[in-house]
């Protein structure tokens, strides 16, 4: 675990999140973050960070309250005041949608979490937010599909592992054609009859 640089998501930090943890690091870091939650620590995943992962947060009540319930109250301030102060991180030739500054991105959730919610948590609660690189979970969509490969460097989740966790059988994995993100593997694991 390491604390995130709330005031400056520098290149070194971002690059470290995109490299999978080594097997040795994974073995050393294997512990349940629930054992480490005190009044001073909270955790977010270390994968799919743009610049931070917005899919999961665990920590003390006061910090979690800001994460979960203060979003709408902070959105206008984020777009009008925070985004204009963030330098445009991309080269001019990156611009494919005529977006030329952070304000034009609007309410991009990962940026909102990184530059508005996490600083508020640190400032208002004195909680340190850590990145947990080994933490991994699967996305489940409204149609019941489960993404089997969502974390770079970790490969596909095995069907047997998923069935053991869910306590029910799943279908066969299938690859979803996607021009934006090729190689998306999904599976359907419908609820057992009479349990939904």
């Amino acid at each position: 675990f390491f604390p995130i640089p709330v005031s400056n998501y520098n290149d070194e930090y971002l690059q470290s999140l995109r490299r999978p943890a080594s097997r040795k690091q994974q073995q050393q870091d294997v512990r349940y973050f629930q054992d480490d939650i005190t009044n001073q620590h909270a955790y977010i995943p270390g994968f799919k960070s743009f610049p931070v992962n917005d899919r999961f947060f665990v920590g003390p009540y006061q910090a979690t309250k800001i994460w979960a319930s203060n979003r709408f109250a902070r959105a206008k301030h984020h777009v009008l005041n925070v985004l204009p102060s963030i330098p445009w991180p991309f080269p001019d030739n990156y611009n494919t949608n005529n977006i030329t500054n952070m304000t034009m991105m609007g309410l991009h959730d990962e940026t909102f979490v990184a530059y508005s919610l996490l600083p508020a948590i640190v400032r208002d609660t004195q909680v340190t937010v850590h990145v947990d690189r080994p933490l991994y979970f699967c996305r489940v969509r409204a149609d019941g599909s489960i993404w089997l490969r969502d974390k770079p460097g970790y490969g596909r989740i095995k069907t047997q592992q998923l069935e053991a966790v869910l306590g029910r059988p799943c279908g066969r994995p299938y690859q979803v054609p996607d021009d934006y993100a090729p190689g998306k593997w999904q599976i359907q694991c419908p609820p057992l009859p009479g349990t939904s």
Side-chain angles (χ1 to χ4, degrees), residues 78 81-89 101-103 111-112 114-116:
H78 174 77
N81 301 105
V82 176
L83 286 180
S85 69
I86 301 172
W88 181 245
N101 60 57
M102 293 300 285
T103 304
T111 305
F112 176 55
Y115 290 98
S116 286

Side-chain angles (χ1 to χ4, degrees), residues 78-167:
H78 174 77
V79 172
L80 296 178
N81 301 105
V82 176
L83 286 180
S85 69
I86 301 172
W88 181 245
F90 306 108
D92 291 338
N93 62 354
Y94 176 85
N95 186 2
T96 59
N97 295 317
N98 294 324
I99 297 173
T100 58
N101 60 57
M102 293 300 285
T103 304
M104 292 175 73
M105 287 183 70
L107 199 55
H108 176 256
D109 198 53
E110 289 93 340
T111 305
F112 176 55
V113 168
Y115 290 98
S116 286
L117 290 184
L118 295 181
I121 288 168
V122 171
R123 181 185 63 246
D124 298 348
T125 68
Q126 287 75 51
V127 167
T128 302
V129 180
H130 297 271
V131 173
D132 184 346
R133 287 181 63 198
L135 175 62
Y136 183 61
F137 52 86
C138 298
R139 283 190 275 183
V140 179
R141 294 297 188 214
D143 66 358
S145 62
I146 299 172
W147 291 30
L148 296 176
R149 186 177 184 165
D150 204 19
K151 184 174 182 179
Y154 280 74
R156 259 177 37 198
I157 303 280
K158 294 188 180 348
T159 303
Q160 297 85 352
Q161 290 174 311
L162 196 55
E163 290 174 333
V165 168
L166 295 174

Side-chain angles (χ1 to χ4, degrees), residues 2-195:
F2 56 95
I4 61 171
V6 171
S7 61
N8 176 18
Y9 297 100
N10 57 48
D11 289 337
E12 181 182 339
Y13 161 77
L14 294 174
Q15 291 301 319
S16 73
L17 295 180
R18 286 173 176 75
R19 287 189 305 267
S22 69
R23 291 283 179 219
K24 184 177 180 181
Q25 288 172 318
Q26 290 174 21
Q27 290 169 354
Q28 289 173 345
D29 289 341
V30 171
R31 63 178 174 157
Y32 291 101
F33 51 77
Q34 295 97 326
D35 295 339
D36 195 37
I37 294 174
T38 65
N39 289 331
Q40 288 80 35
H41 300 282
Y43 297 90
I44 60 174
F47 70 102
K48 299 289 184 177
S49 300
F50 307 106
V52 298
N53 187 306
D54 65 333
R55 300 176 193 166
F56 179 88
F57 180 89
V58 64
Y61 173 78
Q62 274 75 9
T64 305
K65 184 176 179 183
I66 291 172
W67 173 269
S69 65
N70 285 176
R71 290 176 181 243
F72 291 115
R74 296 176 190 274
K76 183 177 180 181
H77 175 77
H78 174 77
V79 172
L80 296 178
N81 301 105
V82 176
L83 286 180
S85 69
I86 301 172
W88 181 245
F90 306 108
D92 291 338
N93 62 354
Y94 176 85
N95 186 2
T96 59
N97 295 317
N98 294 324
I99 297 173
T100 58
N101 60 57
M102 293 300 285
T103 304
M104 292 175 73
M105 287 183 70
L107 199 55
H108 176 256
D109 198 53
E110 289 93 340
T111 305
F112 176 55
V113 168
Y115 290 98
S116 286
L117 290 184
L118 295 181
I121 288 168
V122 171
R123 181 185 63 246
D124 298 348
T125 68
Q126 287 75 51
V127 167
T128 302
V129 180
H130 297 271
V131 173
D132 184 346
R133 287 181 63 198
L135 175 62
Y136 183 61
F137 52 86
C138 298
R139 283 190 275 183
V140 179
R141 294 297 188 214
D143 66 358
S145 62
I146 299 172
W147 291 30
L148 296 176
R149 186 177 184 165
D150 204 19
K151 184 174 182 179
Y154 280 74
R156 259 177 37 198
I157 303 280
K158 294 188 180 348
T159 303
Q160 297 85 352
Q161 290 174 311
L162 196 55
E163 290 174 333
V165 168
L166 295 174
R168 62 180 187 249
C170 297
R172 293 179 55 96
Y174 56 94
Q175 192 169 8
V176 178
D178 185 346
D179 292 336
Y180 178 69
K184 291 292 184 190
W185 285 90
Q186 297 183 5
I187 196 168
Q188 294 283 334
C189 300
L192 296 172
T195 60

